[in-house]
Amino acid sequence: MDEFAQRKTQQKNKDKIIVYPVPMNLDEIKNDLTITTKISSKSLKQRIINKAYKLQEKGQVLEAEKYYQYFVEKGFSDASVFSNYAIILKTLGKLDKAKLYLRKAIEIKHDFANAHNNLGTVLHDLKELEQAELAFRKAISIRPRFADAHNNLANILKDAGKLQEAELSARKAIELKPDSSIAHSSLARILILINKLDEAEMYLKKAIKLKPKPDYYYSLGQLLEKSDKKEDALYQYKNAQNLDPNNLSYQLEGKLRFSAIPFNQEQINKERKQYKKQISQIDQYINPVFTGKIFSTSSFYLAYHNASDDLEILKLLGNVLRNSKGLINTKFNQEKGIIESQRRNSIRLGICSEYLKNHSVCMFFGNIIKQIASSDVEVIIFRTPYSEVDSLSQSIDSLASEVIMMPESIQEASDLILNQSIDILFYPDIGMSNYTYLLSLSRLALVQFTTLGHPMTSGLPEIDYFISCDNYETKYSNEFYSERLIKLNRIPVNYSKPINKGNTFNKSKLNISEKSFLIGIPHAPFKFHPDYDKILDKILENIPNSFLFFADGPKKLQTDKLKERWAKTTKLVLNRTIFYPRVSFGDFLEIVKMLDIIIDPFYFGMGNTFYQAMAFNTPVVTMPTNHMKSRHAFAGYKQMDIKGAPIANSPDEYISICKKLAFDKSYRENIETQINEKANKYLFNDETIFEEYIQFLKDSLSAAQNNTLLPENWKPKSNFN
């Protein structure tokens, strides 16, 4: 920061400070600073500042923080010191405290442009976007040619969705500082969001010309990949790798790739084989170093391939990452954790997720988290730096004992979690977020567990348990998990029944006859396995008056790729599918209500949409396999005790059930009536399932305190009637 650099220059000719071992407490700090028994307040103040700045310059942030704390304890006051203290606090994830000291700095010096700018960055991290915008604008009003503030304003406007204003601010930053590669990169990110991909590519190339940083090459690779220029993208990833060959992020992004929309099973098999080969090469020939940049492993797509070696691949991947320098936190002390947990009267439960917002993960687990937080369990929410704020996230945060916004640095975030002395750490959705996946590679609590936010194993020995239920699993299930499998008595979610607020929708809006049989396939494009294509064709062939209803997703390129595949692999699907644009949530619910049936895709079934279908009595046809990821609708029907449920045991039976629902009106009405009668009682608003979670928390912690796991046959007692 500018004032920090200025202050360092000013200190060069001051009295030299003797270098002492890092102090561990206030008494040692006093001894370190005082040196003699008598020292003036002014001299002591300067010594504290000098020591704090020197430690900060060396990157010893925890040690520097102690000196800033002592500065405050002595009652000293200085705008620049408070501003620099805020930098330390921000680095440590103590954003509220950082905000406090930046405001103190501004109180002392109202026209402190840097402090206003720094306050904006803290408010940005806190997701207080409106206040952050005001802070950046204030910095600019004080110093109109403050290029960095213009660039920061551009980023906040981007995150607030004010893309046109963001573009103008980024262009202003470049005008004021044309040699700023950062400003060019910021403008490129904004242009990507407004789909000016060619211009974004141009500005990223300008950023590279100004400063050929590997992360700019990496960003350019991502952009080119978004534009479906895969070969060019791989070339840019290779440029990043050449500049920083041991960088783990660049190696994995450039080498571990899966197609989101594969053409056939042969392509899937080939890509998985190549994936395993690349993991082995990284492990054998490269000494990977994690430099802090979050990366993707593409492992998310493994779950959709209908393959038997997911666990093997995830274990290989985890081993490579675990052997990489700088990624794994090894500071957890089991014995210390046991002692601290035994001293407490209540369990400290940490919940780490990127999706506790208006998202299916929150729909599944938000109510449970609220109920646990209202019990005698102390809940600490760890939000990733990429988490979004909405009414659902705020409702959860309001009940938590503490909410911590984590820094972008995985190393700092893991230290932050360790410093909170968590007993049990819950990752609801490992595999959905690159950030939480990287965190989950380290042991940060006595007990660590995950569940079906992304319904597959983590493959990590650091994750002790996977929460599931009886109807999700089969006698073969244990072979699919690296974790100890915990089967609750009922589906381990508490889903609030969706309510349609008066929206109306009918088939006439789709330009089809009211007598048409409308089959919903409102799934993400990557859920359509190639094996499913011919099934869709046969369903349409067997039900002549039928149409498929496809709801467009946010990634148009994936939909286009799916259409391209269907054009080659099917005869009827493209001509008899309604590709409907994205609509509001209320309209989507009305569409679900209007559909005659919804069909569950093979191998990776419905989750969120199944509950929405049940809310409006829309039958769902499903075909479960031995894998939990395909068994959600099956488990729902079993829990509701639906007689004659549309559950198939084979593709032929799946097609036959669809046909029966289309032509046997009494059968369809019987299923609809049963759903209407039983969903409210047995599926929605499960207000007691959280009690099974609490039993698990208590028993798993007790087992950990004895350095063991729960037995394989552990079951909670059920209070459900």
Side-chain angles (χ1 to χ4, degrees):
M1 307 192 57
D2 291 352
E3 75 271 18
F4 182 43
Q6 292 167 4
R7 191 62 87 132
K8 284 196 295 180
T9 303
Q10 293 168 3
Q11 301 301 334
K12 281 185 179 178
N13 297 321
K14 298 281 185 182
D15 292 337
K16 300 297 182 182
I17 300 291
I18 301 171
V19 178
Y20 296 94
V22 175
M24 297 305 295
N25 55 54
L26 284 180
D27 288 336
E28 289 178 307
I29 289 174
K30 292 172 186 176
N31 292 335
D32 182 28
L33 293 166
T34 308
I35 299 176
T36 62
T37 55
K38 292 183 179 180
I39 185 170
S40 70
S41 177
K42 183 176 180 180
S43 296
L44 178 60
K45 177 180 178 181
Q46 192 59 56
R47 285 184 183 276
I48 297 173
I49 293 171
N50 289 352
K51 189 71 177 184
Y53 283 9
K54 180 170 286 190
L55 289 166
Q56 190 169 9
E57 183 181 9
K58 291 179 180 179
Q60 297 173 256
V61 292
L62 289 172
E63 293 83 354
E65 182 192 21
K66 296 170 186 173
Y67 284 87
Y68 284 119
Q69 287 174 339
Y70 189 51
F71 183 91
V72 172
E73 183 185 277
K74 296 300 294 182
F76 297 137
S77 182
D78 182 286
S80 293
V81 173
F82 286 162
S83 183
N84 283 314
Y85 185 20
I87 302 171
I88 293 288
L89 294 168
K90 181 177 184 294
T91 301
L92 294 172
K94 301 177 180 180
L95 298 180
D96 287 326
K97 200 170 181 181
K99 178 171 69 170
L100 171 66
Y101 279 96
L102 283 166
R103 293 202 184 280
K104 285 179 179 290
I106 291 167
E107 285 177 12
I108 297 168
K109 189 177 180 183
H110 298 293
D111 61 348
F112 196 171
N114 280 327
H116 287 286
N117 182 57
N118 297 337
L119 176 60
T121 64
V122 170
L123 292 168
H124 190 177
D125 288 351
L126 285 167
K127 309 299 181 185
E128 298 177 23
L129 302 188
E130 291 182 4
Q131 292 300 312
E133 180 181 341
L134 291 175
F136 291 133
R137 291 193 186 280
K138 181 65 176 178
I140 291 167
S141 71
I142 296 169
R143 196 195 307 171
R145 298 185 64 79
F146 195 170
D148 290 346
H150 282 285
N151 186 64
N152 287 332
L153 177 60
N155 289 327
I156 203 76
L157 291 168
K158 169 178 70 69
D159 289 354
K162 303 175 183 178
L163 298 180
Q164 290 183 333
E165 293 178 67
E167 181 183 355
L168 292 174
S169 292
R171 292 188 188 279
K172 183 66 176 179
I174 291 173
E175 176 190 327
L176 293 170
K177 201 173 181 180
D179 61 346
S180 170
S181 63
I182 293 174
H184 284 82
S185 175
S186 294
L187 178 57
R189 290 198 301 271
I190 294 163
L191 292 171
I192 289 170
L193 292 175
I194 55 181
N195 210 33
K196 295 181 179 180
L197 300 187
D198 290 339
E199 193 177 3
E201 182 179 337
M202 179 186 73
Y203 276 98
L204 270 176
K205 288 179 176 177
K206 284 185 178 181
I208 290 169
K209 188 173 181 180
L210 287 164
K211 193 169 186 177
K213 293 171 62 177
D215 60 313
Y216 293 161
Y217 284 115
Y218 168 77
S219 296
L220 181 57
Q222 289 185 311
L223 170 59
L224 292 167
E225 195 163 5
K226 185 181 180 71
S227 302
D228 203 28
K229 301 176 183 177
K230 289 190 176 181
E231 293 302 318
D232 292 340
L234 290 174
Y235 176 75
Q236 298 304 333
Y237 290 138
K238 190 172 182 179
N239 284 334
Q241 292 167 18
N242 289 338
L243 287 174
D244 194 355
N246 289 327
N247 187 300
L248 178 66
S249 305
Y250 304 146
Q251 287 290 340
L252 295 187
E253 283 282 17
K255 292 182 176 179
L256 302 186
R257 319 296 300 170
F258 284 125
S259 299
I261 311 296
F263 188 78
N264 51 39
Q265 187 66 51
E266 288 72 25
Q267 180 185 348
I268 290 172
N269 295 341
K270 181 178 178 181
E271 289 185 357
R272 291 173 74 95
K273 183 178 179 180
Q274 179 68 9
Y275 193 94
K276 286 193 278 190
K277 179 180 177 182
Q278 293 289 2
I279 292 174
S280 299
Q281 288 180 347
I282 292 171
D283 200 26
Q284 293 174 19
Y285 304 117
I286 298 167
N287 296 314
V289 177
F290 179 63
T291 59
K293 190 174 185 64
I294 305 300
F295 55 83
S296 169
T297 62
S298 292
S299 59
F300 171 81
Y301 291 108
L302 288 169
Y304 302 93
H305 290 169
N306 189 36
S308 60
D309 58 347
D310 290 347
L311 178 56
E312 176 192 348
I313 292 175
L314 288 168
K315 282 185 174 180
L316 288 172
L317 176 62
N319 287 337
V320 168
L321 299 179
R322 202 173 290 105
N323 293 331
S324 301
K325 184 179 178 181
L327 177 56
I328 306 303
N329 189 308
T330 59
K331 299 175 186 176
F332 179 74
N333 185 311
Q334 180 88 359
E335 184 177 346
K336 179 183 176 184
I338 291 172
I339 293 170
E340 290 178 347
S341 70
Q342 290 174 334
R343 286 175 179 169
R344 285 191 278 266
N345 294 322
S346 61
I347 295 172
R348 281 178 64 81
L349 171 67
I351 300 175
C352 184
S353 174
E354 198 166 303
Y355 297 100
L356 297 183
K357 58 171 187 173
N358 187 13
H359 186 278
S360 58
V361 169
C362 192
M363 303 296 185
F364 279 15
F365 306 111
N367 289 332
I368 292 171
I369 293 170
K370 291 178 187 178
Q371 290 170 308
I372 292 174
S374 299
S375 71
D376 59 353
V377 175
E378 189 178 359
V379 171
I380 297 91
I381 303 290
F382 295 102
R383 289 198 173 275
T384 80
Y386 316 106
S387 299
E388 297 176 4
V389 175
D390 59 21
S391 60
L392 282 177
S393 68
Q394 291 171 337
S395 68
I396 291 173
D397 289 354
S398 68
L399 294 175
S401 302
E402 190 172 357
V403 178
I404 297 176
M405 296 297 301
M406 292 186 290
E408 290 192 4
S409 166
I410 291 293
Q411 299 95 329
E412 293 169 7
S414 59
D415 279 339
L416 193 61
I417 294 173
L418 279 177
N419 289 339
Q420 290 294 317
S421 185
I422 300 298
D423 295 322
I424 302 175
L425 191 54
F426 176 27
Y427 294 98
D429 43 56
I430 293 177
M432 290 285 291
S433 161
N434 300 321
Y435 185 96
T436 58
Y437 174 70
L438 296 182
L439 273 178
S440 69
L441 288 158
S442 297
R443 170 65 64 177
L444 304 174
L446 286 171
V447 178
Q448 302 189 155
F449 74 99
T450 188
T451 187
L452 59 126
H454 187 55
M456 66 183 302
T457 182
S458 67
L460 304 175
E462 294 79 14
I463 304 302
D464 304 307
Y465 303 99
F466 192 105
I467 300 294
S468 185
C469 72
D470 288 324
N471 284 324
Y472 278 161
E473 307 299 339
T474 72
K475 62 182 179 180
Y476 307 103
S477 291
N478 284 328
E479 66 189 66
F480 304 135
Y481 295 93
S482 60
E483 304 87 358
R484 176 66 49 89
L485 185 60
I486 298 295
K487 292 183 280 190
L488 302 187
N489 295 298
R490 301 189 311 287
I491 295 174
V493 308
N494 178 358
Y495 198 104
S496 297
K497 184 176 180 179
I499 299 173
N500 181 26
K501 298 180 180 179
N503 300 63
T504 58
F505 203 97
N506 54 56
K507 292 179 183 178
S508 63
K509 292 186 178 181
L510 305 177
N511 295 318
I512 60 174
S513 167
E514 287 290 336
K515 295 181 180 180
S516 299
F517 191 73
L518 196 55
I519 303 170
I521 52 170
H523 317 301
F526 50 78
K527 279 195 174 185
F528 292 90
H529 189 279
D531 288 355
Y532 198 52
D533 295 357
K534 60 184 179 182
I535 302 300
L536 295 175
D537 237 13
K538 288 183 178 179
I539 290 171
L540 293 173
E541 182 182 335
N542 277 271
I543 311 173
N545 64 327
S546 64
F547 290 87
L548 301 176
F549 180 92
F550 180 97
D552 276 351
K555 296 184 178 180
K556 182 177 182 299
L557 183 60
Q558 289 187 1
T559 300
D560 290 343
K561 283 289 184 183
L562 184 60
K563 288 180 179 179
E564 183 182 331
R565 189 180 83 196
W566 281 345
K568 296 176 181 178
T569 61
T570 69
K571 298 177 181 179
L572 303 174
V573 172
L574 281 183
N575 289 333
R576 285 173 54 189
T577 298
I578 298 165
F579 294 93
Y580 205 76
R582 290 178 67 80
V583 296
S584 68
F585 180 64
D587 281 344
F588 180 75
L589 290 181
E590 187 64 24
I591 288 170
V592 170
K593 182 179 179 181
M594 174 196 64
L595 296 171
D596 292 300
I597 63 171
I598 298 178
I599 50 178
D600 201 14
F602 284 4
Y603 312 139
F604 194 111
M606 296 158 52
N608 202 39
T609 311
F610 173 74
Y611 281 95
Q612 293 161 353
M614 295 301 99
F616 299 105
N617 312 323
T618 304
V620 170
V621 182
T622 188
M623 189 185 80
T625 68
N626 287 330
H627 292 268
M628 182 260 282
K629 58 197 174 187
S630 70
R631 297 174 66 85
H632 198 84
F634 169 85
Y637 280 139
K638 290 297 182 182
Q639 186 159 300
M640 290 186 287
D641 191 28
I642 302 296
K643 307 299 183 184
I647 300 170
N649 294 308
S650 68
D652 285 344
E653 186 178 7
Y654 185 94
I655 296 166
S656 177
I657 291 173
C658 291
K659 188 176 179 180
K660 184 176 182 181
L661 285 165
F663 296 115
D664 187 340
K665 186 178 179 181
S666 63
Y667 172 62
R668 187 167 84 245
E669 288 179 347
N670 175 264
I671 298 298
E672 292 170 349
T673 299
Q674 287 188 74
I675 293 171
N676 185 51
E677 292 174 351
K678 297 181 177 182
N680 287 336
K681 184 175 182 180
Y682 297 114
L683 190 66
F684 293 111
N685 305 101
D686 189 339
E687 298 297 328
T688 61
I689 190 66
F690 85 98
E691 295 174 359
E692 296 197 11
Y693 275 88
I694 289 179
Q695 288 181 55
F696 163 74
L697 297 177
K698 291 178 178 178
D699 288 2
S700 65
L701 181 58
S702 178
Q705 290 170 344
N706 290 296
N707 290 300
T708 189
L709 293 174
L710 292 173
E712 288 188 7
N713 60 350
W714 182 89
K715 294 283 289 183
K717 296 178 182 178
S718 177
N719 296 321
F720 189 74
N721 296 317

